[in-house]
Amino acid sequence: MFSAWQRLQNTSSWALSVCLTLLAVISVSSWYVLPTVPLGSIGLKSFQVVPGSGSQSNLEYALMRLDVQSDLTPLFANWNTKQLYVSVVADWNSTVEGTQSSVVLWDRIITRKRPEAAKLRIEGLKAKNVWKVRRGGFKTIPSCHLSLKYDIMPYVGIVTPGIGARARNPTWNVTTETATNSFGEWDIAVPGVKSGGVGS
Amino acid sequence: MEAVKKQLEGRIDYEGQRLSEQVAYFSLVVSGVIAFFVSFLASSIKFGLIVFAAGYVITLLAVVPPWPVYRKHPIAWLPVRRLKAD
């Protein structure tokens, strides 16, 4: 610390350490005040599985229209929320392969500049990315989960995931006597393959 | 030229070096703590970082120039001894 130049260097390097500590403290503390959102709803307007045709004839497609309702605006109450990555995801288990898979059907980024856009009310949502499997693949998928997932992208810290809405099984717990399957509350039955095809 | 260089070098004495180091250490820690609470209360990380940057600039102003307070304890050299000429 004997010369001005040395004092400048020492002070700056200490300032950098303090600044990084400050950011670490901010990222950890914002975890403790992480807001939660009420679970929204996903309504299944239509859901059909159709075979591809032509050059796509080795594939099957799941086509669906969804009504998505979820209010994610409370997430912007957190000071550390920069933007949200919101996606509608289908998760399923294959009974043959015994694997867990998921596909992002639709996604969107909501920034802090327009936090009112986090109030989602989308009717007739069509998948951006079509869920497709090998021909005959949907036979091994009895049910799937449809959920609206969000990832909080913070200014500093790590991305935090969460669930904003889920699709509820419409037949669940309504008629227990005539229930033909053992699906749970959030299991959506995947319909059988229709004849006729799309694509080419 | 030498005089300008010496002025820019900004030498301070040993006590001043200890004092300036302590000032830099504590003022930066305090401004970091203040910045955290400001950004928490204002719900704005940007604002907190501006507060910390202000604290950094103030610290530099307080520490870098050779203020008189850092030159209060000049080294007392022994007097020059004359050797007897033969």
Side-chain angles (χ1 to χ4, degrees):
Chain A
M1 303 289 273
F2 68 92
S3 72
W5 180 246
Q6 212 192 12
R7 288 194 291 277
L8 179 67
Q9 280 192 322
N10 274 4
T11 310
S12 301
S13 83
W14 177 239
L16 194 64
S17 304
V18 175
C19 189
L20 289 177
T21 310
L22 172 66
L23 293 177
V25 169
I26 285 174
S27 89
V28 170
S29 64
S30 67
W31 249 44
Y32 286 95
V33 290
L34 210 60
T36 52
V37 292
L39 198 63
S41 68
I42 296 179
L44 209 55
K45 248 187 180 168
S46 69
F47 188 8
Q48 37 182 237
V49 173
V50 294
S53 63
S55 62
Q56 312 287 303
S57 57
N58 57 338
L59 297 173
E60 284 173 358
Y61 296 87
L63 305 178
M64 54 183 99
R65 290 294 188 121
L66 305 172
D67 290 340
V68 178
Q69 276 201 14
S70 181
D71 188 5
L72 301 178
T73 43
L75 297 178
F76 282 106
N78 190 310
W79 55 331
N80 202 5
T81 302
K82 182 182 167 196
Q83 59 184 21
L84 302 175
Y85 174 71
V86 181
S87 55
V88 173
V89 180
D91 298 288
W92 72 92
N93 298 318
S94 168
T95 52
V96 170
E97 291 153 14
T99 50
Q100 283 194 328
S101 313
S102 58
V103 60
V104 174
L105 300 173
W106 174 90
D107 60 2
R108 178 180 279 177
I109 289 172
I110 299 165
T111 61
R112 190 176 264 279
K113 277 178 192 161
R114 284 187 61 234
E116 69 274 10
K119 206 179 176 82
L120 294 173
R121 185 171 290 138
I122 306 166
E123 294 196 355
L125 181 88
K126 214 174 148 185
K128 277 185 188 175
N129 314 305
V130 183
W131 176 13
K132 54 190 170 188
V133 298
R134 275 195 324 277
R135 169 147 283 191
F138 276 113
K139 266 184 206 156
T140 69
I141 304 170
S143 71
C144 67
H145 291 177
L146 295 173
S147 47
L148 178 82
K149 297 185 178 179
Y150 62 81
D151 290 292
I152 305 173
M153 298 162 83
Y155 286 106
V156 281
I158 55 171
V159 173
T160 314
I163 289 182
R166 296 171 107 176
R168 196 167 181 273
N169 185 347
T171 61
W172 189 77
N173 223 2
V174 177
T175 50
T176 45
E177 293 295 316
T178 56
T180 53
N181 53 49
S182 56
F183 292 162
E185 184 175 2
W186 308 106
D187 294 322
I188 308 298
V190 175
V193 182
K194 256 178 60 173
S195 56
V198 293
S200 60
Chain B
M1 194 60 209
E2 273 302 304
V4 171
K5 206 173 163 189
K6 201 168 179 201
Q7 198 64 36
L8 280 180
E9 205 174 48
R11 288 193 176 234
I12 57 179
D13 59 52
Y14 290 129
E15 286 300 319
Q17 289 175 31
R18 187 210 307 267
L19 180 65
S20 68
E21 188 161 343
Q22 285 171 348
V23 166
Y25 184 89
F26 285 110
S27 63
L28 283 176
V29 169
V30 165
S31 59
V33 171
I34 292 173
F36 173 74
F37 284 106
V38 164
S39 68
F40 186 82
L41 293 175
S43 267
S44 162
I45 285 173
K46 194 177 160 190
F47 194 51
L49 289 181
I50 288 171
V51 167
F52 181 72
Y56 170 60
V57 169
I58 291 168
T59 307
L60 283 188
L61 283 177
V63 163
V64 170
W67 298 116
V69 70
Y70 301 133
R71 288 183 283 140
K72 269 190 194 162
H73 305 277
I75 302 160
W77 299 101
L78 287 176
V80 177
R81 279 193 297 176
R82 293 267 167 88
L83 287 177
K84 250 187 197 167
D86 288 312

